[in-house]
Amino acid sequence: MNDDQLVDRPTSSPPAFAVTSGRERGYHRAAVDTFLASARKAFETGSDDLGADDVRIASFPLVKNGYVVADVDAALGRVEDAFAARERERAVRSEGAGAWVERARSDAQVILDHLARPRRRRFARTGILTFGYRSDEVDHVSSRIVRYLRDGDPLTAEQLRSAAFRMQRGGYREEQVDALLDATIDVILAVR
């Protein structure tokens, strides 16, 4: 299926989010609407079919006349927060608050141990001819994470969700950096 086949057809109801125009691409409207309807149903029924992790990794095709990416991403952040709060509440009810706090503390320590590595060596690197995240930019965000976990400096899940890194040859491997950011978001949401 090509991008032209993914263009949404106008509907009688107003769009849920602002729509891109001109050459700008946005998230496929029907894909977003379907995902959010599934998320709403799972949340309202208390189903475990969808959770905070599923919301975090949701992705949508980019098409002309799609939803504005920033608007959808902000909404997905709120949906993820709601699922995370529900998951925390369930875990506290079944395991107790002490176990929940201990798990969050243990996860935070794993992150801190990883980030204790020297700057520019905190993550595996791509090959010299392959692009990865700029190490100096990732190290800057990593330092903010350390200050949050160790010293209590302010840092929000939204700030980490919106972190974007330029690319460089021989940079940090994206999947490792993304996994650590996701783990940190989990810790932030766990202690809210």
Side-chain angles (χ1 to χ4, degrees):
M1 188 178 283
N2 64 38
D3 287 345
D4 295 333
Q5 292 172 310
L6 292 175
V7 173
D8 289 315
R9 305 290 179 244
T11 61
S12 58
S13 61
F17 300 96
V19 176
T20 61
S21 61
R23 299 179 65 111
E24 183 182 5
R25 293 183 179 266
Y27 287 144
H28 187 269
R29 291 160 50 182
V32 171
D33 291 341
T34 300
F35 180 80
L36 289 176
S38 297
R40 175 178 294 229
K41 181 178 179 185
F43 190 81
E44 289 175 349
T45 63
S47 168
D48 289 330
D49 292 341
L50 197 67
D53 291 340
D54 300 309
V55 175
R56 185 176 311 129
I57 64 170
S59 63
F60 310 100
L62 292 172
V63 297
K64 292 180 182 176
N65 299 316
Y67 287 139
V68 172
V69 170
D71 293 353
V72 174
D73 286 348
L76 289 173
R78 292 188 297 274
V79 172
E80 180 187 354
D81 290 349
F83 275 102
R86 182 179 78 178
E87 291 163 11
R88 178 179 59 238
E89 179 183 310
R90 285 180 176 173
V92 167
R93 242 186 324 206
S94 68
E95 302 167 17
W100 179 259
V101 168
E102 187 53 41
R103 185 179 325 140
R105 188 175 287 144
S106 174
D107 292 345
Q109 189 60 54
V110 169
I111 294 166
L112 283 170
D113 291 346
H114 184 94
L115 296 180
R117 298 172 181 168
R119 292 177 72 79
R120 301 192 183 276
R121 292 194 180 112
R122 290 180 172 157
F123 300 92
R125 300 263 191 170
T126 62
I128 192 68
L129 299 177
T130 310
F131 285 91
Y133 289 149
R134 281 188 56 133
S135 58
D136 59 333
E137 293 175 356
V138 173
D139 284 343
H140 174 75
V141 171
S142 297
S143 296
R144 291 197 61 205
I145 292 170
V146 168
R147 289 193 307 270
Y148 166 77
L149 294 173
R150 188 188 60 212
D151 306 329
D153 284 7
L155 182 66
T156 66
E158 292 75 24
Q159 289 170 320
L160 291 181
R161 287 181 189 126
S162 65
F165 308 106
R166 292 179 290 175
M167 305 300 278
Q168 74 178 61
R169 289 186 193 276
Y172 284 148
R173 292 192 175 275
E174 295 174 42
E175 62 276 3
Q176 287 189 355
V177 174
D178 292 343
L180 186 121
L181 293 177
D182 287 346
T184 306
I185 289 170
D186 286 341
V187 168
I188 291 171
L189 296 176
V191 298
R192 267 193 178 170

